[in-house]
Amino acid sequence: MKDVKISIKNLNLYYGTKQALKNISLNIPSKQVTAFIGPSGCGKSTFLRTLNRMNDLIDSVNITGEVLIDGIDIYDKSLDVVNLRKRVGMVFQKSNLFPKSVFENLVFGLRLNGIRDKNILLETAETTCKQAAIWDEVKDRLNEPALSLSGGQQQRLCIARALAVKPEILLMDEPASALDPISTAKIEELIHDLKTKYTIVIVTHNMQQAARVSDLTAFFYIGELIEYDKTTKIFTNPSFKQTEDYVTGRFG
Amino acid sequence: MELTKKKRDVSGFLLISSTRILFFFLILILLVLIGKIFIEGIGIISLEFIFDEPKNNMTEGGIGPAIFGTIAVTVVMVLFAVPLGVFAAIYLSEYAKDSFFYRIIRTSINNLAGIPSIVFGLFGLGFFILFIGKNLDEVLETGLLFGQPALLWASSTLAVLVLPIVIISTLEALNSVPKSHRDASYGLGASKWQTIKSVVLPQARPGILTGTILAISRGVGETAPILFLGCAFFLPSLPVADLCIWGYCIPMINPTEQFMYLAYHIFILATQSSNPTKSLPLQYGATLVLIALTILLNITAILFRYKFRKSLGRN
């Protein structure tokens, strides 16, 4: 495997007494797209959210094990969660733009860091929008409410907003599940372009999507990591029966 | 089959028509009430009536000082109640963990709203004037300044009275901010306070504003809590003092003075007048002004809310 960006060792996660993730270990390579697939409730989204500690926001969650990003344990007591989330951006299932203007959404992360210089803000807004392939659609609408954009545009704006913080890793939780096929295609194309610069981890329900966009695929089932391999191998010649049943659509 | 259907229709019809009758009855009461006050009161309303002081033992003149006192008390009340209430709500909704202590606080806030207002008046007298005021006087060696009924204590007491309204409406507003927006903010590396400040509070602002206005409407109409807290029958001067900084003086509300209050003034006109026939029109006029003031406040609230909602992009 190429350079490892994220390394997970013996990760267990409990909601109260219920164990949602069971002893998961895997390495996520740098500047590749890694897809998590599996039936609903298998823990893939929960697992994704352990990578930027979004589960911290839920009181009843307990986590054991290690998540190393560039060799540093992100669950270390001395680590600043706020900094971590700046390095590990996230795009959610449904677009969650703030009820502010397009521009204010884009620069939200920069403003958090106290950047006020209008030129820097505008520049960042433009470059990230271009990266997210949405600049042409929003360049004349920067001051309009973000919620007036179409669903697909909103989701790409969410991606641009996440990129504006200049993360190294981008976590995507079913980013296209609420979109139509054309918008979905645009997002997938975007993922393909972005992986030259970012390490991308994507959770998806859509098997074809995983096959199309990812380099590696991990299959989860009821809190366990069943199989993790190159995407081509998972979809053409999986080692486990469960994986084969799932990717061929026999259950799930 | 047909029979049961018909029966259901009859009971449905009865329910709807009785509701409708009751509804019109309610509207009718409201119309008669406001109509009567309007018709009797409008004749006396004039610039003099609004700005003049009462004259001739309150059988002539206007209600100027009472209007001024009402506004002054309300402004100071808002300055106390809104920051305190909003921060209390932020603490309860965003920081407090669900514990026994937390539930006691929540229950207390809800029960506070149900306490008879005269009890607040006695509380204000005992706590603010006799305890805080007297001790302030001793510590600051000001003689008798704080330890007596005054605008400051009336406003403080009204603030305590309306605090539950502010807290509860702010809590509702905070809870209505979608979790996905908080997630987005945390996901972009915002701290908890940054999330509250730049995502949650802006969206909760219309709700907070509504709570504030409701609190004002409530405070403006209250009489019982301020009975012993400095509201006066008649005062020759307004509770105003010059505030001087670096030689520049501006007239400000003087919180250590007594004041006249519209709602209390109506009560006095109705019960203590030396000539009831002559003071009756004044009473109608004062009532009309009080109602108009309340309606005006509510309209302002609605306009503000509309403006904020529009700026949030959801109508």
Side-chain angles (χ1 to χ4, degrees):
Chain A
M1 194 181 276
K2 293 163 109 183
D3 347 337
V4 174
K5 184 74 182 173
I6 313 174
S7 173
I8 297 106
K9 289 178 188 157
N10 307 99
L11 186 88
N12 289 288
L13 183 143
Y14 305 83
Y15 286 114
T17 52
K18 189 179 158 281
Q19 187 165 11
L21 294 173
K22 294 168 194 162
N23 203 27
I24 290 176
S25 299
L26 86 164
N27 290 323
I28 294 171
S30 183
K31 294 182 183 169
Q32 301 260 297
V33 178
T34 306
F36 295 167
I37 59 169
S40 299
C42 68
K44 57 192 189 300
S45 282
T46 305
F47 182 53
L48 188 76
R49 293 166 75 96
T50 60
L51 304 182
N52 68 342
R53 290 184 58 175
M54 282 299 271
N55 288 318
D56 284 17
L57 304 171
I58 307 164
D59 287 336
S60 62
V61 166
N62 263 311
I63 294 169
T64 64
E66 279 183 338
V67 178
L68 308 172
I69 293 182
D70 293 334
I72 293 161
D73 185 5
I74 63 167
Y75 281 91
D76 191 281
K77 289 265 184 300
S78 63
L79 185 120
D80 182 8
V81 186
V82 165
N83 265 329
L84 169 75
R85 296 206 186 111
K86 279 172 192 157
R87 290 175 57 202
V88 187
M90 190 159 197
V91 176
F92 298 81
Q93 189 169 355
K94 278 194 194 143
S95 86
N96 50 6
L97 294 171
F98 304 118
K100 301 173 189 262
S101 69
V102 171
F103 180 70
E104 282 305 319
N105 267 284
L106 283 167
V107 301
F108 184 85
L110 298 179
R111 285 208 197 276
L112 290 178
N113 296 332
I115 299 172
R116 286 206 195 81
D117 188 331
K118 191 91 184 165
N119 291 327
I120 297 179
L121 294 178
L122 267 171
E123 228 168 78
T124 316
E126 184 175 341
T127 44
T128 51
C129 275
K130 279 178 177 161
Q131 275 184 43
I134 196 175
W135 180 243
D136 290 335
E137 288 152 83
V138 299
K139 67 181 176 206
D140 301 319
R141 305 177 63 179
L142 288 176
N143 291 318
E144 284 178 37
L147 300 180
S148 69
L149 299 175
S150 76
Q153 287 172 333
Q154 289 194 21
Q155 191 63 307
R156 276 179 290 142
L157 196 63
C158 282
I159 296 175
R161 182 178 65 180
L163 295 179
V165 194
K166 301 198 168 64
E168 299 152 32
I169 301 163
L170 198 58
L171 308 177
M172 300 177 131
D173 190 356
E174 298 183 42
S177 66
L179 301 178
D180 63 86
I182 294 168
S183 305
T184 304
K186 280 187 184 160
I187 301 258
E188 287 179 10
E189 210 175 297
L190 181 57
I191 293 170
H192 194 79
D193 295 342
L194 289 175
K195 79 170 179 186
T196 53
K197 282 185 133 175
Y198 305 91
T199 303
I200 296 174
V201 187
I202 177 170
V203 163
T204 178
H205 260 302
N206 181 330
M207 227 70 62
Q208 287 78 26
Q209 186 171 65
R212 281 193 299 264
V213 301
S214 68
D215 304 298
L216 292 143
T217 299
F219 171 61
F220 288 82
Y221 188 61
I222 333 183
E224 282 180 79
L225 175 63
I226 305 293
E227 189 169 352
Y228 178 46
D229 215 322
K230 289 213 167 63
T231 300
T232 43
K233 172 126 189 336
I234 294 274
F235 282 93
T236 53
N237 185 23
S239 314
F240 290 83
K241 179 97 181 27
Q242 275 167 308
T243 317
E244 191 185 340
D245 286 351
Y246 185 72
V247 297
T248 53
R250 235 166 284 165
F251 82 95
Chain B
M1 191 61 205
E2 228 180 72
L3 232 167
T4 47
K5 196 169 178 248
K6 204 167 187 182
K7 209 175 157 194
R8 203 190 300 146
D9 281 348
V10 169
S11 61
F13 173 77
L14 279 178
L15 185 72
I16 290 170
S17 40
S18 57
T19 317
R20 208 172 274 167
I21 291 168
L22 279 172
F23 173 73
F24 281 120
F25 189 62
L26 266 175
I27 297 280
L28 195 73
I29 293 178
L30 195 70
L31 279 180
V32 167
L33 200 72
I34 294 186
K36 172 87 174 153
I37 291 169
F38 186 81
I39 292 164
E40 301 273 355
I42 193 72
I44 195 167
I45 304 276
S46 63
L47 279 181
E48 287 81 45
F49 180 73
I50 287 174
F51 290 107
D52 264 9
E53 342 189 303
K55 282 170 198 147
N56 268 341
N57 234 342
M58 300 214 218
T59 53
E60 283 168 35
I63 52 168
I67 295 179
F68 180 84
T70 306
I71 293 170
V73 169
T74 312
V75 167
V76 180
M77 173 194 86
V78 167
L79 291 182
F80 286 134
V82 171
L84 202 63
V86 169
F87 279 104
I90 290 176
Y91 173 75
L92 286 174
S93 133
E94 310 290 329
Y95 290 95
K97 296 230 161 71
D98 193 12
S99 64
F100 180 66
F101 182 64
Y102 169 78
R103 263 170 274 160
I104 287 195
I105 292 182
R106 282 299 295 260
T107 318
S108 309
I109 291 167
N110 288 327
N111 286 334
L112 205 61
I115 291 176
S117 53
I118 188 74
V119 177
F120 280 101
L122 291 168
F123 167 79
L125 181 65
F127 181 72
F128 286 121
I129 297 179
L130 297 178
F131 179 68
I132 293 189
K134 283 266 191 270
N135 284 318
L136 263 183
D137 277 345
E138 264 174 42
V139 173
L140 302 175
E141 293 175 348
T142 42
L144 186 63
L145 180 67
F146 293 109
Q148 58 182 348
L151 195 150
L152 176 66
W153 307 130
S155 296
S156 313
T157 307
L158 283 177
V160 178
L161 178 91
V162 300
L163 205 52
I165 302 176
V166 179
I167 295 178
I168 290 167
S169 55
T170 308
L171 273 177
E172 272 167 18
L174 293 175
N175 290 338
S176 72
V177 177
K179 190 181 161 290
S180 66
H181 289 168
R182 295 165 200 258
D183 278 355
S185 174
Y186 288 125
L188 289 166
S191 65
K192 187 157 191 164
W193 173 241
Q194 282 175 323
T195 301
I196 293 171
K197 195 182 65 168
S198 21
V199 175
V200 178
L201 277 183
Q203 290 195 55
R205 207 152 38 184
I208 294 172
L209 212 68
T210 313
T212 306
I213 304 283
L214 283 177
I216 293 175
S217 311
R218 172 87 196 267
V220 164
E222 282 293 344
T223 327
I226 53 166
L227 274 179
F228 343 99
L229 300 176
C231 80
F233 192 85
F234 176 76
L235 290 170
S237 61
L238 295 175
V240 173
D242 277 350
L243 185 75
C244 295
I245 301 166
W246 298 306
Y248 292 99
C249 289
I250 34 164
M252 286 285 288
I253 297 166
N254 183 351
T256 58
E257 289 226 36
Q258 301 208 348
F259 56 94
M260 290 173 72
Y261 205 70
L262 206 47
Y264 180 72
H265 194 68
I266 294 169
F267 166 71
I268 292 296
L269 284 172
T271 56
Q272 317 279 308
S273 171
S274 58
N275 188 344
T277 353
K278 277 180 88 179
S279 62
L280 192 64
L282 293 173
Q283 206 181 311
Y284 272 115
T287 312
L288 182 59
V289 169
L290 182 59
I291 290 178
L293 201 67
T294 319
I295 292 176
L296 204 72
L297 282 169
N298 279 298
I299 291 175
T300 324
I302 292 164
L303 288 178
F304 261 121
R305 215 155 67 200
Y306 176 75
K307 196 183 139 244
F308 277 124
R309 285 217 180 123
K310 222 172 152 185
S311 72
L312 289 178
R314 55 181 147 120
N315 252 321

